[in-house]
Amino acid sequence: MKLPGPNIRTIPVGDDRERLVCGDCGFVVYDNPKIIVGAVCTWRDRYLMVRRAIEPRLGYWTMPIGYMELGETTEQGALREVWEEARARARISGLLSIYSIPEISQVHMIYRAEMLSDSFEPGPESLDAGLFTWDEIPWDHLAYPNVGWSLNHEREVKGLDSFPPRGRPERA
């Protein structure tokens, strides 16, 4: 029995890599990287962090971050993640970093944002949320390397209105 839809692995004409193709109509499935959006949010001299309530990295700390949704800009997605994970409202002040992480097929766009008030609480995907001074950040319990990269870059550009976004560190 022949399966319907894209079910043939082949290199389409004019392409350079194997993809799923429909044998009936020729439709090609382009499996592309996921876009991850997030924000390093600050309230005065403190950084907003959330402790993950979901896998992967359950119980580890991160900035509000997650998958971009259809129909939203990267900025809207970052602010949505701040609300979903920390129940905080913020204003984006600039693009902080763009990390290409091909080994997991992701592109991370991290913004710098200021909280509109000191109001926050854990959202449904967070066990905890907190505002940390630099020295209080749980450095040994960060969920992913990009969290530390982003926090350090934000600290380096603190006080600057204009700066180029940073990419993935060479050694990472």
Side-chain angles (χ1 to χ4, degrees), residues 29-149:
V29 175
Y30 293 96
D31 193 16
N32 301 111
K34 296 287 187 181
I35 299 174
I36 310 300
V37 291
V40 174
C41 292
T42 55
W43 174 254
R44 299 189 176 134
D45 66 339
R46 297 182 179 270
Y47 294 84
L48 179 65
M49 304 286 291
V50 294
R51 199 163 133 235
R52 294 178 57 82
I54 58 173
E55 291 290 358
R57 308 296 287 164
L58 173 73
Y60 285 82
W61 291 89
T62 184
M63 65 220 151
I65 188 170
Y67 291 106
M68 184 176 170
E69 297 289 350
L70 296 175
E72 68 185 4
T73 66
T74 54
E75 295 90 346
Q76 289 167 336
L79 292 174
R80 176 186 47 74
E81 289 293 337
V82 170
W83 174 252
E84 285 180 0
E85 296 185 1
R87 294 296 188 239
R89 298 290 184 196
R91 176 182 48 252
I92 288 181
S93 60
L95 181 61
L96 184 64
S97 305
I98 302 174
Y99 304 125
S100 293
I101 308 177
E103 57 271 25
I104 57 172
S105 299
Q106 293 180 355
V107 175
H108 295 213
M109 297 184 69
I110 311 301
Y111 289 89
R112 180 167 70 166
E114 293 97 30
M115 294 173 61
L116 301 179
S117 75
D118 63 352
S119 176
F120 67 91
E121 64 184 64
E125 296 180 358
S126 303
L127 293 171
D128 198 5
L131 285 172
F132 296 89
T133 65
W134 186 258
D135 293 333
E136 294 170 337
I137 292 172
W139 295 104
D140 292 337
H141 300 285
L142 298 182
Y144 304 104
N146 69 324
V147 180
W149 302 340

